Amino acid sequence: MSSIPKSTKAWTVHGANGFDSLKLNEQVPVPEVSDYEVLVKFHAASLNYRDLIIPKGLYPFALADDVVPGSDGAGEVISVGSKVTRFKPGAKVVTLFNQGHLGGSLNPQTYATGLGGVIDGTLRQYGTFNENGLVDMPPSLNWHEASTLSCAALTAWNGLYGLKPVKPGDVVLTQGTGGVSIFALQFAKAAGAKVISTTSSAKKAEVLKKLGADEVINYKEFTEWGEKAKSLTAGGEGVDHIIEVGGSTTMEQSLKAIKIDGVISVIGFLGGNGEKEPSFLEALLKLCTVRGILVGNRIQFEEMNRAIEINKIKPVVDEKVFSLDELKEAYQYMWDQKHFGKLTIKIE
Amino acid sequence: MSSIPKSTKAWTVHGANGFDSLKLNEQVPVPEVSDYEVLVKFHAASLNYRDLIIPKGLYPFALADDVVPGSDGAGEVISVGSKVTRFKPGAKVVTLFNQGHLGGSLNPQTYATGLGGVIDGTLRQYGTFNENGLVDMPPSLNWHEASTLSCAALTAWNGLYGLKPVKPGDVVLTQGTGGVSIFALQFAKAAGAKVISTTSSAKKAEVLKKLGADEVINYKEFTEWGEKAKSLTAGGEGVDHIIEVGGSTTMEQSLKAIKIDGVISVIGFLGGNGEKEPSFLEALLKLCTVRGILVGNRIQFEEMNRAIEINKIKPVVDEKVFSLDELKEAYQYMWDQKHFGKLTIKIE
Amino acid sequence: MSSIPKSTKAWTVHGANGFDSLKLNEQVPVPEVSDYEVLVKFHAASLNYRDLIIPKGLYPFALADDVVPGSDGAGEVISVGSKVTRFKPGAKVVTLFNQGHLGGSLNPQTYATGLGGVIDGTLRQYGTFNENGLVDMPPSLNWHEASTLSCAALTAWNGLYGLKPVKPGDVVLTQGTGGVSIFALQFAKAAGAKVISTTSSAKKAEVLKKLGADEVINYKEFTEWGEKAKSLTAGGEGVDHIIEVGGSTTMEQSLKAIKIDGVISVIGFLGGNGEKEPSFLEALLKLCTVRGILVGNRIQFEEMNRAIEINKIKPVVDEKVFSLDELKEAYQYMWDQKHFGKLTIKIE
Amino acid sequence: MSSIPKSTKAWTVHGANGFDSLKLNEQVPVPEVSDYEVLVKFHAASLNYRDLIIPKGLYPFALADDVVPGSDGAGEVISVGSKVTRFKPGAKVVTLFNQGHLGGSLNPQTYATGLGGVIDGTLRQYGTFNENGLVDMPPSLNWHEASTLSCAALTAWNGLYGLKPVKPGDVVLTQGTGGVSIFALQFAKAAGAKVISTTSSAKKAEVLKKLGADEVINYKEFTEWGEKAKSLTAGGEGVDHIIEVGGSTTMEQSLKAIKIDGVISVIGFLGGNGEKEPSFLEALLKLCTVRGILVGNRIQFEEMNRAIEINKIKPVVDEKVFSLDELKEAYQYMWDQKHFGKLTIKIE
């Protein structure tokens, strides 16, 4: 266990002037833990698209002033408050995105507990958290792998298990090679589903197949990939679960691929301009279910971690790793879409 | 038990020239039952909007030539085939809309088994049906009441129980005074839910309150009734279940009323022109679930009938009753929206 | 809002010498709240069978030394810690039995967080609790009514909703007039179920009927009440849900009453000596499901409270009310089975 | 497609004198199909313990006189009635055990539709069935493999998916190397679960490990295998799903292994004499769920077949195959427990 320095590094976000809004603070005092809190020494964090748009002023939700950014992080519990029961010093932990989302659905209160938005996040050396806002890290993962679970993995898990749990024999469709999509592919394969993945290049198709995709459709070749995907299901009945990350253009195809009573999980903020978006009446015509999701709750997180552990699932992490000091460069690298898999930050 | 005449009356639909496409056939032979079939003497049928648009050529799905119209009917089993086990002569029965939808989800095969569309329906004196396409009539209902269950009631039940079963304490929102909406109101009240109903007149509001609505919103007064409905829920968290019958304009309000993880069940063909329809990205922003449904399966039908029986639910039937010979007049009466509650046909 | 006295009254349990093990402490300091805690001024508590057997040394689970007894209580939040978000001063609250049971299933950690057993309970004037261990009190209840919810009501709710949610039209069987059974009757009626209740006297039968029971069976008249109950269900198919409180002798009858795939929820410690207890192979023969439950989680508690509020359910409280000073007398009164409905303590 | 002989072979059961009660009839006419029936030419059948105890007079349920035995079979559809929609000639099919169990729970009517008990079964060359009593055979299986699905596989599937669907990361415990247990192991592994299997020999342990078992416990070494199994789960919390095939002695251990809210599925007739059977109060103490099951419904069967196909699951079939003429020898071979995996009959 590390000894605790008196003062430590933490990034904060000031305004909305792009990545220059990020400021590295070098002399931040390490907060004391109160009764139900634990002090975490972070070892790694991972970035999400949401992190990038916060300093760019494009994030449409509430933000605290000068918030410490970053929702995803993995670290070690250094000390615990007098009434803490969930963790002991030395425990390896991962952060929960919505700190108050302990089970069931979000509500107006817990909706406003996002790390790195309204609550200080993970892009710092040390942080204190209510013991309820952390989960045990799957022992088989390293810090970097574990740091990717908070948002991307849990969103994928919620899509596959939050409404109608995937069963062996179901068909799952994933789009592209973003973090959520790759986790969805991995979870669906672990669950005995058939996975159809879309992508734009032969090279990425190879990676998707290595990760287990049964079928890969190049959506540049098959612009009508919805019909194509449907034709790849037994009896042409369609896809049971679609993890919809793209927005209006992909949604149109997803509606062609989906099975009766199939579920399209809509996530992320990548959507289009709204002009050509399919209307809700399509759900009637296709007799399918469309569900909007925002990450997931702690019970789901713990269930997911059991699945990761038992199935030896390894999060796909970009080989390029940035140090905490290089955070702005990391943001730019990800903004330029140079990454494959989750981009992580090493925190020493 | 009636004696069986040699020939009987049956309506058929010929072409798409409006209600004149309906033809009354006076000398239709009564079909013999084969091993797994039962012969039903109908006593009542009820009409749905779908019935009206079939002869008008507006029905967008498959139709058999010269089909006997009508999907909803109640009658008596007159004779049974040698291997029938579900019914005995004298049994009182109601028709299942999709004759092949015995459980679970529809599939491409069972999707194409709609009575009065691809399979001969209920607007006739006698019909033979596979024993699987009928359910026992709730004993407390009369023929007319029972004849309303096949589509309107089962659609409402599927909306409330098909994905996330309503629990006591949930809030359910119904729109207007159509058949599905009124059944949804009655089922939701029986289930211990709070019901918020919308309507356009004080007179209809009175009826809705008599049927149990806890709150009625006049949508002419409150064009922004979505916000209003939300404000009527505990903590302003929103509505758990919405039975969405209206289409694009109401959908916009429904999305304002819905709770996080609430379910909007989209039914019917009443939608608008698509210009201003809310897009699917709204489901992401509201974190809700939108589900298209088409009536329901036989297991749901039987569960619903138990609920009707135990809770003494009485379907709301228009006082005006037409005879089988007056079918065209009945269609016109309903087309002119002169009815309140389900419009039924007496079949002698 | 009350002003906080410097020292207050609290009962504690010392040893296992019967009710004389209970000691009233008059000068207990009011604890300060830490960051995530709230201070509650109790106004009422209710007693459970578990409370009685703790000082008698019959409670088979872990106990803290000198614990403050009582798991059920209702009171007012007097002050809140600096990081509390769930409550504000003035909030009316009820205690959660297992303080750590916030959602999902119990686990070895949360199993050991029972109020009045391993954690100081409700039989005192003031107590501090982690904000997570309390729920909002249903506004329509008074302190005494609300204080009965923590165990008896939530156990009944868990029985009816924790595995296979009750639907309108289901048949629910309750046994006797204990707290859990009466709540189960009330919840099942609110949910549109048919309720069959057993009892031993015509007088109690009257009360059960007033509370909504559709059928009451006097088990002294019908010792084979299992068959009797089954005969009262549609088609003689059996009962969907049984709240089994009695133990081995009633279990034998419950197994005769249950439907295929019906659920028998086994609760409480009232069972027999094991000699004649039905074996698990009965579950195979009856094709039913038997589930052991221990109260319920916080999500269920909040859902239950919504149901109570919307359905205006009034807990049945014994007219006899004891003061906090008279706790021993209250324990004796309940031990002698002089109560009907929940026995409550007024805390001033 | 085969041409249909005028008369064919079929076994029937006469009385309860042991395997001599079985009689081979050589000149059975091939029945004609009526409107909703299909004629099946069987190619393989598999035997179950139930088949053996029927001629021994030990089967405690209803039996038709001179019934054709055998519930499990795979064959080809030779001809179809005029109104059949589910199959065409040439279709490869497998039999459904309870012919009327099309979805949901069994009821008193569908409970009495077991093949080879009250309805003529599969141990014959040709049989006619209502089209609803068959499902499509998974294309990747041969006749013998497919013939094992009707009972053993569907029972295992129902145990794992009928109440609380297995999720990746769950822990499943299977007992021994009987048909249901091996299918449960295969399905659980396909679903991403951890599997703990018990057995009595090192040799069988090897086979179980080859089939995917993560842990194998020799119950002769560890008579207290319940505790052992529990210790092999994360945090020692216990097993999520147990497929309980043994009866009273294994049940005692299962109750030690099970997790809070875990499910013990009780199947089969292998139980003991009842003397030492654990009582239902154990379910309370362990806070677990015990569920009796009898095979499963057609919706489950079709879902299972999708899982088998997509996960390329191969039923374990004994290398020894008997011809239809050798049926008595096959019964004796199985009675002597000489088989490993399912014992099948070749039907030409």
Side-chain angles (χ1 to χ4, degrees):
Chain A
M1 209 177 310
S2 336
S3 70
I4 311 172
K6 290 259 165 75
S7 68
T8 67
K9 293 181 190 171
W11 287 89
T12 46
V13 185
H14 300 262
N17 308 308
F19 300 157
D20 285 337
S21 307
L22 293 164
K23 180 184 161 196
L24 179 59
N25 313 276
E26 304 264 359
Q27 301 286 329
V28 179
V30 173
E32 303 236 337
V33 295
S34 69
D35 284 7
Y36 295 95
E37 287 178 340
V38 304
L39 175 65
V40 176
K41 162 76 191 79
F42 284 111
H43 289 285
S46 77
L47 300 185
N48 293 298
Y49 180 70
R50 168 182 177 266
D51 297 317
L52 309 191
I53 61 176
I54 286 177
K56 286 190 176 279
L58 301 172
Y59 187 64
F61 302 106
L63 290 173
D65 291 338
D66 302 347
V67 74
V68 175
S71 56
D72 298 20
E76 187 185 359
V77 170
I78 298 299
S79 64
V80 302
S82 62
K83 297 183 179 174
V84 164
T85 58
R86 284 173 51 83
F87 304 104
K88 290 182 181 162
K92 295 178 174 184
V93 294
V94 188
T95 51
L96 176 68
F97 173 67
N98 275 310
Q99 289 279 296
H101 197 190
L102 307 184
S105 294
L106 282 169
N107 61 37
Q109 284 71 48
T110 53
Y111 185 76
T113 59
L115 269 193
V118 291
I119 295 181
D120 282 342
T122 60
L123 290 163
R124 49 179 166 163
Q125 288 179 299
Y126 289 84
T128 53
F129 297 88
N130 185 301
E131 63 169 330
N132 281 316
L134 303 165
V135 298
D136 283 312
M137 177 172 143
S140 62
L141 302 189
N142 65 33
W143 299 115
H144 288 260
E145 291 162 347
S147 77
T148 68
L149 302 177
S150 306
C151 282
L154 189 50
T155 300
W157 183 267
N158 189 1
L160 297 177
Y161 289 95
L163 185 68
K164 280 185 157 185
V166 171
K167 289 187 303 297
D170 282 356
V171 182
V172 173
L173 185 143
T174 67
Q175 301 171 348
T177 51
V180 176
S181 300
I182 288 180
F183 275 117
L185 158 55
Q186 292 176 302
F187 293 150
K189 285 314 297 175
K194 171 173 180 164
V195 174
I196 302 173
S197 298
T198 66
T199 190
S200 60
S201 80
K203 195 179 153 194
K204 287 181 179 172
E206 275 314 297
V207 180
L208 291 165
K209 287 205 167 171
K210 268 191 193 157
L211 289 165
D214 298 279
E215 307 275 358
V216 180
I217 304 175
N218 187 321
Y219 60 79
K220 292 197 169 164
E221 283 175 45
F222 293 95
T223 49
E224 287 292 314
W225 56 260
E227 289 293 345
K228 175 73 177 168
K230 195 168 193 176
S231 75
L232 295 170
T233 64
E237 293 197 10
V239 171
D240 297 274
H241 280 268
I242 297 177
I243 304 297
E244 169 62 51
V245 300
S248 49
T249 44
T250 55
M251 190 66 185
E252 198 180 326
Q253 296 304 315
S254 291
L255 285 163
K256 290 181 180 167
I258 197 73
K259 192 177 183 174
I260 291 178
D261 282 344
V263 177
I264 302 177
S265 298
V266 182
I267 62 162
F269 305 96
L270 303 173
N273 55 10
E275 270 184 46
K276 299 180 286 181
E277 286 161 14
S279 102
F280 276 106
L281 292 183
E282 291 294 316
L284 168 60
L285 292 175
K286 302 298 181 184
L287 300 178
C288 70
T289 296
V290 179
R291 176 179 178 236
I293 55 175
L294 178 59
V295 198
N297 66 42
R298 195 178 74 189
I299 294 173
Q300 293 175 311
F301 204 155
E302 292 177 336
E303 287 179 349
M304 177 183 78
N305 283 355
R306 296 198 312 159
I308 287 171
E309 195 61 24
I310 282 179
N311 291 283
K312 301 178 181 61
I313 293 170
K314 289 287 176 189
V316 177
V317 175
D318 195 293
E319 288 184 11
K320 176 76 178 166
V321 169
F322 291 85
S323 71
L324 187 60
D325 289 358
E326 301 165 326
L327 189 66
K328 286 188 193 179
E329 289 80 359
Y331 273 48
Q332 191 61 50
Y333 183 86
M334 184 168 165
W335 185 255
D336 296 339
Q337 299 195 31
K338 293 182 179 167
H339 64 300
F340 184 90
K342 295 294 294 179
L343 189 61
T344 61
I345 307 295
K346 181 169 193 177
I347 305 178
E348 287 174 304
Chain B
M1 208 177 310
S2 337
S3 70
I4 311 171
K6 290 261 164 74
S7 68
T8 67
K9 292 181 191 171
W11 286 89
T12 46
V13 185
H14 300 264
N17 309 307
F19 300 156
D20 285 337
S21 308
L22 293 164
K23 180 184 162 198
L24 180 58
N25 312 275
E26 303 265 358
Q27 301 286 330
V28 179
V30 173
E32 303 234 339
V33 294
S34 69
D35 284 6
Y36 295 95
E37 287 179 341
V38 304
L39 175 65
V40 176
K41 163 76 191 78
F42 284 111
H43 289 285
S46 78
L47 300 185
N48 293 298
Y49 180 70
R50 166 181 177 268
D51 297 317
L52 308 190
I53 62 176
I54 285 177
K56 286 189 176 280
L58 301 172
Y59 186 64
F61 301 106
L63 289 174
D65 290 338
D66 303 346
V67 74
V68 175
S71 56
D72 299 20
E76 187 186 1
V77 171
I78 298 300
S79 64
V80 303
S82 61
K83 297 184 180 173
V84 163
T85 58
R86 284 172 52 83
F87 303 104
K88 291 183 180 160
K92 296 180 173 183
V93 295
V94 188
T95 51
L96 177 67
F97 173 67
N98 276 310
Q99 289 279 297
H101 197 190
L102 307 184
S105 294
L106 281 169
N107 61 38
Q109 284 71 51
T110 53
Y111 185 76
T113 59
L115 269 194
V118 289
I119 295 181
D120 282 341
T122 60
L123 290 163
R124 49 178 166 164
Q125 288 179 299
Y126 288 85
T128 54
F129 297 88
N130 185 300
E131 64 169 330
N132 280 316
L134 303 165
V135 299
D136 284 311
M137 178 172 143
S140 62
L141 302 188
N142 65 34
W143 300 116
H144 289 259
E145 291 162 348
S147 78
T148 69
L149 301 178
S150 306
C151 282
L154 188 51
T155 300
W157 183 267
N158 188 0
L160 297 177
Y161 289 96
L163 186 68
K164 279 185 157 185
V166 171
K167 289 186 305 296
D170 283 355
V171 183
V172 173
L173 185 142
T174 66
Q175 301 171 348
T177 50
V180 176
S181 300
I182 288 180
F183 276 116
L185 158 55
Q186 292 176 302
F187 293 149
K189 285 313 298 174
K194 171 174 181 164
V195 175
I196 302 172
S197 299
T198 66
T199 190
S200 61
S201 80
K203 196 179 152 194
K204 287 182 180 172
E206 275 315 297
V207 181
L208 290 166
K209 287 206 167 169
K210 267 191 194 158
L211 287 166
D214 298 279
E215 307 275 357
V216 180
I217 304 175
N218 187 321
Y219 60 78
K220 292 195 170 166
E221 282 175 48
F222 293 95
T223 49
E224 287 293 313
W225 57 259
E227 289 294 345
K228 176 72 179 167
K230 193 167 194 175
S231 75
L232 295 170
T233 64
E237 294 198 9
V239 172
D240 297 274
H241 280 268
I242 297 177
I243 304 297
E244 170 62 51
V245 299
S248 50
T249 44
T250 55
M251 189 67 185
E252 198 180 327
Q253 296 303 315
S254 291
L255 285 163
K256 289 181 179 167
I258 197 73
K259 192 177 183 173
I260 291 178
D261 283 343
V263 177
I264 303 177
S265 297
V266 182
I267 62 160
F269 306 95
L270 303 172
N273 54 11
E275 270 185 46
K276 300 180 282 182
E277 286 162 13
S279 103
F280 275 105
L281 292 183
E282 291 294 317
L284 169 60
L285 292 175
K286 302 299 181 183
L287 300 178
C288 70
T289 296
V290 179
R291 177 180 178 235
I293 54 174
L294 178 60
V295 198
N297 66 42
R298 194 178 76 188
I299 294 174
Q300 293 175 311
F301 204 155
E302 292 177 336
E303 287 178 350
M304 176 183 80
N305 283 356
R306 297 197 312 159
I308 286 171
E309 195 62 23
I310 282 179
N311 291 284
K312 300 178 182 60
I313 293 170
K314 289 288 177 190
V316 177
V317 175
D318 195 294
E319 288 183 11
K320 176 75 177 167
V321 170
F322 291 86
S323 71
L324 187 60
D325 288 359
E326 300 166 326
L327 188 68
K328 286 187 191 179
E329 289 80 358
Y331 272 49
Q332 191 62 50
Y333 183 87
M334 185 168 164
W335 185 256
D336 296 339
Q337 299 195 30
K338 292 183 178 165
H339 64 300
F340 184 90
K342 295 293 295 178
L343 189 61
T344 60
I345 308 295
K346 182 169 192 177
I347 304 178
E348 286 174 303
Chain C
M1 209 177 308
S2 337
S3 71
I4 311 170
K6 290 262 166 74
S7 68
T8 66
K9 293 181 190 172
W11 287 90
T12 46
V13 186
H14 300 263
N17 309 308
F19 301 155
D20 285 336
S21 307
L22 292 164
K23 181 183 163 199
L24 179 58
N25 312 276
E26 304 264 358
Q27 301 285 328
V28 179
V30 173
E32 303 235 339
V33 293
S34 70
D35 285 6
Y36 295 95
E37 287 179 341
V38 304
L39 175 65
V40 176
K41 162 77 191 77
F42 285 111
H43 288 286
S46 79
L47 299 185
N48 294 298
Y49 180 70
R50 166 182 178 267
D51 297 317
L52 308 191
I53 62 176
I54 286 177
K56 286 188 175 281
L58 301 172
Y59 186 65
F61 302 106
L63 289 173
D65 290 339
D66 303 346
V67 74
V68 176
S71 56
D72 299 19
E76 186 186 0
V77 170
I78 297 299
S79 64
V80 302
S82 61
K83 296 183 180 175
V84 164
T85 58
R86 284 173 51 84
F87 304 104
K88 291 181 181 161
K92 296 178 173 184
V93 294
V94 188
T95 52
L96 177 67
F97 174 67
N98 275 309
Q99 289 279 295
H101 198 190
L102 307 184
S105 293
L106 282 169
N107 60 38
Q109 284 71 49
T110 53
Y111 185 76
T113 59
L115 269 194
V118 289
I119 295 180
D120 282 341
T122 59
L123 290 163
R124 48 178 166 164
Q125 288 179 299
Y126 289 84
T128 54
F129 298 87
N130 185 300
E131 64 169 330
N132 280 317
L134 303 165
V135 299
D136 284 310
M137 176 173 145
S140 61
L141 302 188
N142 66 32
W143 300 115
H144 288 259
E145 292 162 347
S147 78
T148 69
L149 302 178
S150 307
C151 282
L154 189 50
T155 300
W157 183 267
N158 189 1
L160 297 178
Y161 289 96
L163 185 68
K164 279 185 158 185
V166 171
K167 288 185 306 296
D170 283 356
V171 183
V172 173
L173 185 143
T174 67
Q175 302 172 346
T177 51
V180 176
S181 300
I182 288 179
F183 275 117
L185 157 56
Q186 292 176 302
F187 293 150
K189 286 313 297 174
K194 171 173 180 163
V195 175
I196 302 172
S197 299
T198 66
T199 190
S200 60
S201 80
K203 195 178 152 195
K204 288 181 179 173
E206 274 315 298
V207 180
L208 290 166
K209 288 205 169 174
K210 268 191 193 158
L211 288 166
D214 298 279
E215 307 275 358
V216 180
I217 304 175
N218 187 321
Y219 61 78
K220 293 196 169 163
E221 283 175 45
F222 294 95
T223 50
E224 287 292 314
W225 56 260
E227 290 293 345
K228 175 72 178 168
K230 194 167 193 176
S231 75
L232 295 170
T233 64
E237 293 198 9
V239 171
D240 297 274
H241 280 268
I242 297 178
I243 304 298
E244 170 62 51
V245 300
S248 49
T249 44
T250 56
M251 189 67 185
E252 198 180 326
Q253 296 303 315
S254 291
L255 284 164
K256 289 181 180 167
I258 198 73
K259 190 177 183 173
I260 292 177
D261 283 343
V263 177
I264 302 177
S265 298
V266 182
I267 63 162
F269 306 95
L270 303 172
N273 56 10
E275 271 185 45
K276 299 180 284 183
E277 286 162 15
S279 102
F280 276 105
L281 291 184
E282 291 295 317
L284 170 60
L285 292 175
K286 302 299 180 184
L287 300 179
C288 70
T289 296
V290 179
R291 176 180 177 235
I293 54 175
L294 178 59
V295 198
N297 66 42
R298 195 179 74 189
I299 294 173
Q300 293 175 310
F301 204 155
E302 292 177 336
E303 286 179 350
M304 177 184 79
N305 284 355
R306 296 198 312 159
I308 287 170
E309 195 62 24
I310 282 180
N311 291 283
K312 300 179 181 60
I313 293 170
K314 290 287 176 190
V316 177
V317 175
D318 196 293
E319 287 183 12
K320 176 77 176 165
V321 169
F322 291 85
S323 71
L324 187 60
D325 288 359
E326 302 164 326
L327 189 67
K328 286 187 191 179
E329 290 79 359
Y331 273 48
Q332 192 61 49
Y333 183 87
M334 185 168 164
W335 185 256
D336 296 338
Q337 299 195 30
K338 293 182 178 167
H339 64 300
F340 184 91
K342 296 293 295 179
L343 189 62
T344 60
I345 307 295
K346 182 169 192 175
I347 304 178
E348 286 173 306
Chain D
M1 208 178 306
S2 336
S3 69
I4 312 171
K6 291 260 165 74
S7 69
T8 67
K9 294 180 189 171
W11 287 90
T12 46
V13 185
H14 300 264
N17 309 308
F19 301 156
D20 286 336
S21 309
L22 292 164
K23 180 184 160 197
L24 179 59
N25 313 276
E26 303 264 358
Q27 301 286 330
V28 179
V30 173
E32 302 235 339
V33 294
S34 69
D35 284 6
Y36 295 95
E37 287 178 342
V38 304
L39 175 65
V40 176
K41 162 77 191 78
F42 284 110
H43 289 285
S46 78
L47 300 185
N48 294 298
Y49 181 69
R50 167 182 177 266
D51 297 316
L52 309 191
I53 62 176
I54 285 177
K56 286 190 176 282
L58 301 171
Y59 187 64
F61 302 106
L63 289 173
D65 289 338
D66 303 346
V67 74
V68 175
S71 56
D72 298 20
E76 186 186 0
V77 170
I78 298 299
S79 63
V80 301
S82 62
K83 296 185 180 173
V84 164
T85 58
R86 284 173 52 83
F87 304 104
K88 290 181 182 162
K92 297 178 172 183
V93 294
V94 188
T95 52
L96 177 68
F97 173 66
N98 276 308
Q99 289 279 296
H101 197 191
L102 307 185
S105 294
L106 283 168
N107 61 38
Q109 284 72 49
T110 53
Y111 185 76
T113 59
L115 269 193
V118 289
I119 295 181
D120 282 342
T122 59
L123 291 163
R124 49 178 165 164
Q125 288 179 297
Y126 289 85
T128 54
F129 298 87
N130 185 301
E131 64 169 329
N132 280 317
L134 303 165
V135 298
D136 283 312
M137 177 172 144
S140 62
L141 302 189
N142 65 34
W143 299 116
H144 288 259
E145 291 161 348
S147 78
T148 68
L149 302 177
S150 306
C151 282
L154 188 51
T155 300
W157 184 266
N158 189 0
L160 298 178
Y161 288 96
L163 185 69
K164 279 185 158 186
V166 172
K167 288 187 305 297
D170 281 356
V171 182
V172 173
L173 185 144
T174 67
Q175 301 171 347
T177 50
V180 176
S181 299
I182 287 180
F183 275 116
L185 158 54
Q186 292 176 301
F187 293 149
K189 285 313 298 175
K194 172 173 180 164
V195 175
I196 302 172
S197 299
T198 65
T199 191
S200 60
S201 80
K203 193 178 153 196
K204 287 181 180 173
E206 275 314 297
V207 180
L208 290 166
K209 287 207 167 171
K210 267 190 193 159
L211 288 166
D214 298 279
E215 307 275 357
V216 181
I217 304 175
N218 187 321
Y219 60 78
K220 292 195 169 164
E221 284 175 46
F222 294 95
T223 50
E224 286 293 315
W225 57 259
E227 289 294 345
K228 174 73 178 167
K230 194 168 194 174
S231 75
L232 295 170
T233 65
E237 292 197 12
V239 172
D240 297 273
H241 280 267
I242 296 178
I243 304 297
E244 170 61 52
V245 300
S248 49
T249 43
T250 56
M251 189 67 185
E252 198 180 327
Q253 296 303 315
S254 291
L255 284 163
K256 289 182 179 166
I258 197 72
K259 191 177 184 173
I260 292 178
D261 284 342
V263 177
I264 303 176
S265 297
V266 182
I267 63 161
F269 305 95
L270 304 172
N273 56 11
E275 269 186 44
K276 300 180 285 182
E277 286 163 13
S279 103
F280 276 105
L281 291 183
E282 291 295 317
L284 169 60
L285 292 175
K286 302 298 181 183
L287 300 178
C288 69
T289 296
V290 179
R291 176 180 178 236
I293 54 174
L294 178 59
V295 198
N297 66 42
R298 195 179 74 188
I299 295 174
Q300 293 175 312
F301 204 155
E302 291 177 336
E303 287 179 349
M304 177 184 78
N305 283 355
R306 295 197 313 159
I308 287 170
E309 195 61 24
I310 282 180
N311 291 283
K312 301 179 181 60
I313 293 171
K314 290 287 175 189
V316 177
V317 176
D318 195 295
E319 288 183 11
K320 176 76 177 165
V321 169
F322 292 85
S323 70
L324 187 60
D325 289 358
E326 302 165 326
L327 188 68
K328 286 188 190 178
E329 291 80 358
Y331 272 49
Q332 191 61 49
Y333 183 87
M334 185 168 164
W335 185 256
D336 296 339
Q337 298 195 31
K338 292 181 178 166
H339 64 299
F340 184 90
K342 295 293 294 179
L343 189 62
T344 59
I345 307 296
K346 182 170 192 176
I347 305 179
E348 287 174 303

